[in-house]
């Protein structure tokens, strides 16, 4: 079923692969299963294309325009598994996945029974990849470039591996202003210095494909945030 969709929507996959090749000309996307998550398949960087040191100009381009969306980050993978194990957390709800990248958490939210899922990323290439991945998994996500495009209120906001950029800490309040509940999954932070967020779980998950660079970030902490209306 999944591969038939990809053939039908080959254009989506080609658009995403062309975006990847702007910075990594030798790279390809490969439709792959995810470790421990057999309900979802994603088009991700084919690890077979990424051996050996990169030429300097390619390295510069990758740093200037990193294709984060060509990986399924450990935090997104862990969050997707949690959503599928705890479908009551999103079933029937309006969900927004901010910094969706490859779209793994958004797709999982829909599979878990969410009523509507908004996939948000400021990188247009990420949205193209997410569109291809939604087609592969027969997901009907809504795609937006900024959280200001969300409906005024949503039930749940997801943030997986977005706080790597310290300037994104402002997103915590923006998400609390939009959503009744905010779920953060992050492998790079163990504590959020914000009175409305509480850590509630820690799990192990590696980024996929695992090129070995990210092994130090294998422990993913989950935080739940709710607006304290008393304040
Ligand atoms: C490390 S990736 C994580 C992707 C995905 N959540 C996962 O776990 O696989 C971070 C993504 O967040 C996006 N991003 C960063 N800051 C953002 C912001 N302020 N609003 C929306 N997207 C953002 C980036 O473009 C990138 O695609």
């Amino acid at each position: 079923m999944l591969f038939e969709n990809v053939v039908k929507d080959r254009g989506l996959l080609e658009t995403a692969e062309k975006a990847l090749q702007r910075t990594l000309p030798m790279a390809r996307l490969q439709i792959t299963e995810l470790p421990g998550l057999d309900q979802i398949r994603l088009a991700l960087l084919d690890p077979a294309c990424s051996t050996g040191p990169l030429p300097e100009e390619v390295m510069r381009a990758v740093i200037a325009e990193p294709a984060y969306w060509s990986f399924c980050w450990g935090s997104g993978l862990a969050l997707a598994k949690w959503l599928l194990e705890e479908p009551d957390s999103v079933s029937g709800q309006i969900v927004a996945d901010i910094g969706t990248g490859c779209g793994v958490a958004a797709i999982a939210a829909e599979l878990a029974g969410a009523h509507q899922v908004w996939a948000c990323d400021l990188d247009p290439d990420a949205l193209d990849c997410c569109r291809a991945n939604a087609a592969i998994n027969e997901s009907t996500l809504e795609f937006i470039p900024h959280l200001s495009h969300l409906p005024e209120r949503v039930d749940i906001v997801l943030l997986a591996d977005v706080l790597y950029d310290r300037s994104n800490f402002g997103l915590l309040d923006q998400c609390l202003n939009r959503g009744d509940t905010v779920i953060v999954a992050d492998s790079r932070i163990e504590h959020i210095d914000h009175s409305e967020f509480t850590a509630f779980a820690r799990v192990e998950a590696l980024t996929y494909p695992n090129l070995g660079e990210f092994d130090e970030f294998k422990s993913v902490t989950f935080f739940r945030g709710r607006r304290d209306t008393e304040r």
Side-chain angles (χ1 to χ4, degrees):
M1 167 275 276
L2 297 163
F3 287 100
E4 278 166 24
N5 287 334
V6 178
V7 173
K8 264 194 273 162
D9 274 314
R10 193 87 224 163
L12 289 172
L13 208 54
E14 284 170 4
T15 302
E17 194 165 73
K18 275 192 193 131
L20 181 63
Q21 290 169 352
R22 272 205 318 274
T23 50
L24 280 169
M26 71 301 277
R28 302 265 180 283
L29 291 175
Q30 181 192 46
I31 296 166
T32 180
E33 293 177 7
L34 298 167
L37 186 58
D38 55 12
Q39 297 96 321
I40 296 176
R41 291 187 190 188
L42 297 176
L44 298 172
L45 178 72
D46 179 354
C49 308
S50 64
T51 51
L54 297 173
E56 197 184 328
E57 69 278 11
V58 174
M59 187 55 96
R60 273 208 214 99
V62 169
I63 290 168
E65 206 184 332
Y68 290 129
W69 47 267
S70 63
F71 293 87
C72 174
W73 294 80
S75 309
L77 183 57
L79 181 56
K81 282 185 193 170
W82 181 80
L83 291 167
L84 289 163
E85 282 161 15
E86 306 276 341
D88 288 351
S89 59
V90 287
S91 180
Q93 312 271 301
I94 300 178
V95 178
D97 181 27
I98 310 298
T100 195
C102 63
V104 66
I107 292 166
E110 192 185 281
L111 284 175
H115 169 64
Q116 184 180 46
V117 183
W118 297 79
C120 169
D121 204 294
L122 47 73
D123 179 351
D125 294 336
L127 289 184
D128 281 341
C129 179
C130 189
R131 276 189 190 93
N133 284 329
I136 291 168
N137 293 281
E138 294 189 322
S139 287
T140 50
L141 308 177
E142 309 287 339
F143 301 95
I144 53 170
H146 192 271
L147 64 76
S148 60
H149 295 243
L150 285 174
E152 204 164 311
R153 294 300 300 167
V154 300
D155 297 305
I156 317 272
V157 183
L158 308 173
L159 274 179
D161 212 338
V162 181
L163 301 179
Y164 61 92
D165 180 347
R166 307 295 294 179
S167 68
N168 275 338
F169 273 77
L171 278 177
L172 295 174
D173 276 310
Q174 292 174 39
C175 291
L176 284 173
N177 289 341
R178 287 281 174 167
D180 293 345
T181 301
V182 179
I183 304 287
V184 176
D186 213 293
S187 58
R188 291 157 213 258
I189 51 167
E190 294 181 358
H191 174 72
I192 293 182
D193 191 13
H194 189 303
S195 61
E196 289 159 315
F197 281 87
T198 314
F200 68 93
R202 185 160 295 146
V203 298
E204 302 271 294
L206 285 175
T207 292
Y208 195 82
N210 179 11
L211 305 183
E213 288 92 335
F214 310 117
D215 287 4
E216 65 196 280
F217 301 120
K218 65 177 180 201
S219 185
V220 179
T221 309
F222 284 46
F223 304 87
R224 186 176 284 107
R226 287 206 178 100
R227 182 101 285 173
D228 179 356
T229 46
E230 296 299 303
R231 292 188 335 154

